[in-house]
Amino acid sequence: MRRSFSLGVYLLALQVVIVLVTTCTAGLLAAKLQSDRIREAYKDRMLSTAESVARLPSVIEAFDTPNPADIIQPLAEVLRKASGVTYVVVTDRDGNRYAHPDPTRIGQKVSTDPSTPLSGQVFVGTETGTLGTSLRAKVPIRAADGTIIGIASVGILETQLASDFADDLPELIGWLAAAALIGSLGAAMVTKTIRRRTFRLEPAEIGQLLETRDAMLHGIREGVVAVDDSDHLVLVNDEAMRLLDLREDPTGLPAAQVLERGGLLDLARGAEDVADRLVLAGERVLVANRMTAKSQGRPVGVVLTLRDRTELYDALRELDGQRTVTEVLRTQAHEFSNHLHVIGGLLELDRPADAVRYIERVGGAGSLTSATVDRAMADPALAALLLAKAGTAHEHGVSFRFSPDSSVTREAGDDTLTVLGNLIDNAVDAAGSGGTVHVLVRSDDEGVRILVEDDGPGIDEAERGRIFTLGVTTKQPRRTHGRGIGLALVSRVVSRRSGSVDVGRSALGGASFDVWLPALVGVGA
């Protein structure tokens, strides 16, 4: 099998061919220009000489003498030698020669057409005469009264023009050869530079590397976003497009048009590398890492890696809940043992009715029941969420009150579940053991209203504008796994639905969140 040329040899040969073709083309053009320049120079010289002969008083006066050739021939030879032309010929109106380089031809008629100068016009062109093909100029000779009495013809042989052009060729060829040599050396340097920049890889190897890189970047389960030093996106893999809800490849666009302010955009424009920072992309919780990309020690951009941690956030939130339940159970273990002692004592005293009443009072009194929810909730998912949150609140020692004014006549939708779940979780955490949470949910054809109140410490008025910012939390430091996300998600949902959320102080003394979600056209609220 014949081995193909390497990239270096191919590039060098291609560039040398281009240099040679360009040089030869330029040489031919320069040769033509030089030839035209020589002809133009001789044209000017011949025309000037012919006009000088035609205007010499001695030549004009000689036409009236018995033998004009005796006067005109010596003058013509002097002018011919002085101007460097091949011949100077003078004739009368009938074409009889009075001057010619070959004296034997004096008195003979000219062999070319004299009609143009005899008509009073100047002729400049190429004709073939007795001496050969020549470039010539013919000028009419006029008497004192303006009458045309003869012709002055000055010419140079084409062979002489070719000889003059040949004399200039060596210098022209030398310059062209030098240009070709310099161009070839430059091509070799360019080839060497390109090979060094491509790490001496062949095109097939480069293509294979690019295909492998694209396959790996677009096949990994983490999102990858690369931003260059001019703040433009240079890479967004498939997973990143999914996480950022992008439908078209944004490569080449400014980062500000694609990445969200306050989240990934601020992270990309930051000055330091960051590991495992929670950010929101739309309504999706992501774990982002930022790393500065460098080439030869110089920063060339930023690489962001993204992981979907919406489920992890939910798991961490549930873990916090379980930790709280464990703490509550530990602190209430002694109280439960006292309840058991009371029940046991009542049974020993043969007072079972009192024991039952005591169990009802300390056990399920005041808890939310499925019957209560079913009567008000037409959405099973919403009813299940409320029952689950009521159970969680009870495990935390929080009294969960469901407003009797609540009424949901159709499916509430995922947005309602997201907002309600996060607000209840925050309210239960804020109320704490022994606290109270009040919930109202109402929906109609216009939208859904959600009101969640607690009797916790409340939210300072100065803090109400920033609690919806990602990462901002008022919870205790020991319980901040994934904190600062719930209210940010609520804000994103409300903003997308063009709704509203009012934060204030509740009638219970704590915080109050009043949310309005307008109904979606053609979709259940």
Side-chain angles (χ1 to χ4, degrees), residues 183 315 402 474 516:
F402 184 60
T474 59
W516 169 250

Side-chain angles (χ1 to χ4, degrees), residues 335-348:
E335 181 181 354
F336 289 159
S337 65
N338 290 335
H339 292 329
L340 291 176
H341 291 160
V342 173
I343 294 171
L346 290 174
L347 292 177
E348 288 180 2

Side-chain angles (χ1 to χ4, degrees), residues 108-145:
Q108 299 178 3
K109 288 185 176 298
V110 294
S111 58
T112 57
D113 182 18
S115 59
T116 299
L118 290 178
S119 65
Q121 298 179 359
V122 175
F123 171 82
V124 178
T126 301
E127 291 181 335
T128 301
T130 57
L131 298 177
T133 302
S134 62
L135 178 66
R136 61 188 65 189
K138 297 179 180 181
V139 177
I141 300 175
R142 299 177 183 273
D145 59 358

Side-chain angles (χ1 to χ4, degrees), residues 293-356:
K294 296 182 178 181
S295 176
Q296 300 179 352
R298 181 178 63 87
V300 295
V302 172
V303 177
L304 304 178
T305 58
L306 312 175
R307 287 173 289 167
D308 190 354
R309 285 300 177 265
T310 303
E311 295 182 359
L312 176 61
Y313 160 67
D314 294 336
L316 290 173
R317 188 174 59 187
E318 293 298 327
L319 177 60
D320 277 341
Q322 295 300 326
R323 288 175 176 173
T324 303
V325 169
T326 302
E327 294 173 1
V328 171
L329 290 177
R330 185 180 297 114
T331 58
Q332 292 182 348
H334 181 68
E335 181 181 354
F336 289 159
S337 65
N338 290 335
H339 292 329
L340 291 176
H341 291 160
V342 173
I343 294 171
L346 290 174
L347 292 177
E348 288 180 2
L349 294 173
D350 195 22
R351 299 174 65 177
D354 292 337
V356 171

Side-chain angles (χ1 to χ4, degrees), residues 263 266-267 273-279 286-289 307 470:
D266 291 350
L267 188 62
D273 292 343
V274 176
D276 296 335
R277 173 176 293 181
L278 290 179
V279 297
L286 304 178
V287 176
N289 294 275
R307 287 173 289 167
L470 179 65

Side-chain angles (χ1 to χ4, degrees), residues 280-435:
L280 276 179
E283 296 168 21
R284 194 188 302 273
V285 181
L286 304 178
V287 176
N289 294 275
R290 178 195 184 277
M291 182 179 67
T292 301
K294 296 182 178 181
S295 176
Q296 300 179 352
R298 181 178 63 87
V300 295
V302 172
V303 177
L304 304 178
T305 58
L306 312 175
R307 287 173 289 167
D308 190 354
R309 285 300 177 265
T310 303
E311 295 182 359
L312 176 61
Y313 160 67
D314 294 336
L316 290 173
R317 188 174 59 187
E318 293 298 327
L319 177 60
D320 277 341
Q322 295 300 326
R323 288 175 176 173
T324 303
V325 169
T326 302
E327 294 173 1
V328 171
L329 290 177
R330 185 180 297 114
T331 58
Q332 292 182 348
H334 181 68
E335 181 181 354
F336 289 159
S337 65
N338 290 335
H339 292 329
L340 291 176
H341 291 160
V342 173
I343 294 171
L346 290 174
L347 292 177
E348 288 180 2
L349 294 173
D350 195 22
R351 299 174 65 177
D354 292 337
V356 171
R357 284 193 296 273
Y358 181 78
I359 292 173
E360 292 177 348
R361 179 164 57 87
V362 301
S367 63
L368 187 66
T369 65
S370 60
T372 302
V373 174
D374 285 341
R375 285 194 298 269
M377 300 291 107
D379 184 357
L382 183 57
L385 175 68
L386 289 170
L387 287 174
K389 295 302 181 182
T392 301
H394 183 68
E395 291 173 353
H396 284 70
V398 176
S399 175
F400 189 90
R401 297 180 183 177
F402 184 60
S403 174
D405 295 332
S406 297
S407 175
V408 176
T409 58
R410 58 177 178 173
E411 290 187 3
D414 293 339
D415 290 343
T416 301
L417 298 179
T418 299
V419 172
L420 184 60
N422 280 286
L423 291 181
I424 291 176
D425 286 345
N426 286 346
V428 170
D429 285 342
S433 180

